[in-house]
Amino acid sequence: MPLGALRPTPLVEQATDRLREQIVGEEWPVGTKLPGETSLAQMLGVGRSTVREALRALAGAGLVQARQGSGVFVIATKPKEDWSTRLRRAAVADVYEVRMVMEVEAAQLAALRRTEEDLTAMKSALAGRRSALSGSNAEFVDADIALHAAVVASAHNPVLTALFTEFVPALRQGLIDLVELLDLRTKEPDHSDAGHAALVDTIAEGDAEAAGRTLREELRRTLAQLQSV
């Protein structure tokens, strides 16, 4: 894969991306010694200082390592995860564990206490969630929360409803992060529509055990995906 000259700006970012492509695509496998700064500068059509900054960025990502007197070598073909991403993933996992405790109980209570008005609200929220599949991440997350809020409200426990309301801001951001981290909108275009429809059905049938199990399995599946990243 020829490197090719770069566009005028931003040079450091472009140089970093172009070199990263060579490494991640294994055009330069682990153990490969990279061309010298002068050669890379000529290939990319930039100055040596730009190449130096690009190599520094790649070293920070754990892809290359400079060895005194020997040059720069490829040491990995997959960037290491940065600390902010690790913290973000951990935070989303924490949010999911808390919502599992809260919402599974709410789903079970909802199956026992829901009214016809509650069912209408849940079905409307499910339809809204489906409509939001074509929207932005934030729009989809808001629609998803609206459905879960309808389930919690159907439990008719004011303390549980108040707790969920207080939890929504953290839940909303956690869900947006989750969608982005796992790229769920691409991997699962319908994003568990069947599971959510089944949840509404089990609540409508008054089957508390099935409602709790359905929601627990749905949340556990997503949590497992998150923890495997």
Side-chain angles (χ1 to χ4, degrees):
M1 180 190 300
L3 289 177
L6 299 174
R7 301 184 302 276
T9 57
L11 294 179
V12 172
E13 288 84 351
Q14 289 186 66
T16 302
D17 289 343
R18 193 66 58 79
L19 295 175
R20 184 186 293 110
E21 288 172 4
Q22 296 288 111
I23 295 170
V24 173
E26 299 191 30
E27 298 291 331
W28 291 335
V30 172
T32 299
K33 178 181 178 180
L34 270 58
E37 287 183 5
T38 301
S39 296
L40 288 174
Q42 291 174 347
M43 293 177 189
L44 296 170
V46 298
R48 291 179 60 187
S49 61
T50 298
V51 170
R52 196 172 300 121
E53 287 298 318
L55 291 175
R56 185 174 293 118
L58 294 174
L63 295 175
V64 302
Q65 182 181 69
R67 297 175 184 170
Q68 188 67 32
S70 299
V72 178
F73 293 81
V74 176
I75 59 172
T77 57
K78 182 178 180 181
K80 66 181 181 182
E81 186 176 62
D82 59 58
W83 183 239
S84 63
T85 300
R86 292 183 187 180
L87 288 177
R88 185 175 170 213
R89 183 180 64 186
V92 178
D94 290 342
V95 168
Y96 246 70
E97 288 177 352
V98 173
R99 78 174 298 201
M100 189 179 299
V101 172
M102 185 186 307
E103 291 191 46
V104 168
E105 180 64 24
Q108 292 174 328
L109 290 174
L112 299 174
R113 301 174 179 176
R114 91 291 182 280
T115 64
E116 288 303 314
E117 289 77 10
D118 292 329
L119 289 178
T120 297
M122 280 186 278
K123 290 175 181 178
S124 176
L126 179 61
R129 187 181 186 277
R130 287 169 174 165
S131 296
L133 285 170
S134 59
S136 66
N137 287 343
E139 290 170 337
F140 174 73
V141 165
D142 286 340
D144 182 74
I145 290 175
L147 172 57
H148 287 269
V151 171
V152 173
S154 299
H156 293 281
N157 182 313
V159 176
L160 189 56
T161 299
L163 285 173
F164 184 81
T165 300
E166 290 293 322
F167 186 61
V168 163
L171 175 62
R172 182 179 189 273
Q173 188 56 55
L175 285 173
I176 291 174
D177 287 344
L178 177 66
V179 169
E180 294 174 353
L181 281 170
L182 299 182
D183 193 22
L184 290 179
R185 305 295 297 286
T186 300
K187 294 178 180 176
E188 297 181 36
D190 68 346
H191 193 44
S192 305
D193 178 71
H196 286 76
L199 173 62
V200 173
D201 287 343
T202 55
I203 291 174
E205 292 164 3
D207 192 334
E209 182 179 348
R213 183 175 62 251
T214 298
L215 183 54
R216 186 183 296 107
E217 289 175 354
E218 184 64 35
L219 295 178
R220 279 180 175 170
R221 186 177 67 85
T222 305
L223 183 59
Q225 285 180 295
L226 177 63
Q227 293 172 332
S228 69
V229 173

